[in-house]
Amino acid sequence: MNELEILDDIKIENMIYEIRGKQVMLDSDLAKLYKCKNGTKEINQAVKNNVEKFPERFSWILTDKEYENLRSIFLTSSSKNNYGGRRYKPRVFTEQGVAMLATVLKSKTATKVSIAIMDAFVIMRKYISNSLLEQKYINDLVLQNTEDIKLLKQSFSKFEELSNEIYFDGQIYDAYSKIKDILSMAKKELIIIDAYADKVVLDMIKDLSVKVTLIVKNKSLLTKTDINKYNSQYSNLNIIYDDSFYDRYFIIDNDIIYHCGASINHAGSKTFSINKLEDEIVKKSLINKIGDTIYNFKK
């Protein structure tokens, strides 16, 4: 396993913990990595000033029980960090929360370090490091029989599913909010593939400060009047008409790809899932296909 190192041999993957079934990082560790002059105060102030960008699935303050469990890990590990003297419970950030935090801190250090942190999260999804094994299993799991082995295999499978979420019929706002949060992760460009996109998409992208390319079917639900009036005010939308896509995708900064099982305007009306694509070959093939589509349309 290639260990990612930064800031005087600090290993980022050893700063990732599992809480509530999600991989998270502590505000204090992020403050150290981002070189925040005011430490966690700067981190938490950024969240307070942008509270709508940090739903609980992105970031939360630990409960008393979660904090005590975390402290017990530090006491039994070789970590040199000392969190026992804190006067308030830590805030933690998921992978998406870390990505969002980098955008609101708006520093060169945050942007550079966030890339390294994202790489560390990818490593942790594929491999469970010794520190994470210690955190999750040392006190609860002793491999003595086949049932223990079965539990371990199930836990490994869980790490492959961390980026996937399912929404049931009726969860219309939850699905809408999740999609909007995903789209807001874009820092440079955003590509949305949704054949049946309508004005709901326009409502989602109007506050984004990046260029948006929307690929829809030729007989789109968006009229030319909708598009012209939208661009007359916001001017960040490029429309591509193409009938070769059936599924819905969100491509963020030509790197991160989410697959969405429902059109944005119908999300939550029936059961569907949103999945983050991890296979690099699949991602590259899809990005190449999209590039060809845009190029051929503009010819």
Side-chain angles (χ1 to χ4, degrees):
M1 171 176 167
N2 294 322
E3 293 184 331
L4 191 155
E5 299 185 2
I6 195 166
L7 295 181
D8 300 327
D9 296 326
I10 294 175
K11 296 179 178 63
I12 297 178
E13 61 267 32
N14 289 344
M15 295 180 171
I16 300 176
Y17 306 95
E18 187 194 2
I19 300 175
R20 301 186 189 180
K22 293 186 177 182
Q23 291 174 315
V24 299
M25 294 188 69
L26 291 164
D27 53 3
S28 52
D29 285 335
L30 289 170
K32 181 187 298 182
L33 292 173
Y34 288 152
K35 297 183 179 179
C36 296
K37 294 181 179 179
N38 296 321
T40 56
K41 183 178 180 180
E42 184 173 340
I43 297 286
N44 286 284
Q45 188 63 45
V47 174
K48 184 178 179 180
N49 292 342
N50 299 272
V51 65
E52 74 284 353
K53 295 184 178 181
F54 293 92
E56 191 167 347
R57 62 175 175 273
F58 279 22
S59 175
W60 68 87
I61 296 175
L62 297 184
T63 64
D64 290 337
K65 184 176 181 180
E66 289 170 340
Y67 186 30
E68 287 303 315
N69 289 340
L70 195 63
R71 290 180 63 187
S72 68
I73 292 167
F74 295 141
L75 291 173
T76 57
S77 71
S78 60
S79 172
K80 295 181 181 180
N81 292 328
N82 179 15
Y83 296 95
R86 293 185 61 147
R87 285 181 287 180
Y88 56 89
K89 292 184 288 294
R91 173 178 288 276
V92 295
F93 295 81
T94 65
E95 180 179 358
Q96 291 172 318
V98 171
M100 184 63 70
L101 182 62
T103 66
V104 300
L105 288 178
K106 297 178 180 179
S107 71
K108 291 183 179 180
T109 299
T111 300
K112 182 178 179 180
V113 173
S114 67
I115 295 173
I117 294 175
M118 294 303 102
D119 289 341
F121 270 104
V122 171
I123 290 172
M124 292 301 293
R125 280 200 298 272
K126 293 182 179 179
Y127 306 99
I128 302 180
S129 69
N130 290 336
S131 61
L132 189 54
L133 278 170
E134 179 181 25
Q135 176 187 340
K136 183 171 177 57
Y137 302 114
I138 195 71
N139 295 322
D140 303 317
L141 185 62
V142 178
L143 293 177
Q144 294 177 336
N145 50 48
T146 56
E147 185 61 27
D148 289 329
I149 295 174
K150 180 180 178 181
L151 288 173
L152 182 58
K153 287 181 177 179
Q154 290 174 347
S155 295
F156 267 82
S157 297
K158 183 178 181 181
F159 279 88
E160 297 300 322
E161 299 169 358
L162 287 177
S163 297
N164 303 337
E165 293 190 29
I166 188 168
Y167 295 87
F168 298 97
D169 49 313
Q171 290 186 277
I172 295 173
Y173 179 76
D174 290 344
Y176 172 88
S177 179
K178 171 66 174 180
I179 293 173
K180 192 167 183 179
D181 289 339
I182 290 174
L183 302 186
S184 66
M185 291 170 60
K187 300 176 185 177
K188 297 179 180 178
E189 62 176 323
L190 172 66
I191 300 174
I192 301 172
I193 302 175
D194 188 344
Y196 295 93
D198 62 8
K199 287 189 287 186
V200 173
V201 176
L202 303 185
D203 292 336
M204 285 189 167
I205 67 172
K206 66 183 179 66
D207 294 324
L208 300 183
S209 57
V210 299
K211 198 70 178 178
V212 179
T213 297
L214 176 61
I215 301 178
V216 297
K217 64 179 183 176
N218 282 295
K219 295 183 179 179
S220 171
L221 298 178
L222 286 169
T223 67
K224 289 185 178 180
T225 300
D226 294 332
I227 299 166
N228 290 337
K229 286 186 177 295
Y230 174 87
N231 273 330
S232 67
Q233 181 174 351
Y234 298 102
S235 64
N236 68 332
L237 177 62
N238 179 37
I239 293 285
I240 303 293
Y241 297 97
D242 185 88
D243 289 332
S244 64
F245 293 94
Y246 180 79
D247 282 1
R248 277 67 56 182
Y249 298 96
F250 312 135
I251 299 87
I252 300 167
D253 297 331
N254 208 38
D255 178 36
I256 301 172
I257 302 178
Y258 284 87
H259 171 266
C260 184
S263 289
I264 294 177
N265 53 327
H266 292 140
S269 59
K270 292 184 179 180
T271 299
F272 78 105
S273 62
I274 299 176
N275 309 303
K276 185 178 181 182
L277 301 187
E278 300 292 353
D279 190 292
E280 293 299 326
I281 296 177
V282 173
K283 288 170 58 179
K284 184 176 180 180
S285 298
L286 181 57
I287 289 173
N288 288 340
K289 163 67 176 174
I290 295 168
D292 291 341
T293 299
I294 295 175
Y295 174 77
N296 292 328
F297 179 79
K298 290 183 177 180
K299 282 200 308 183

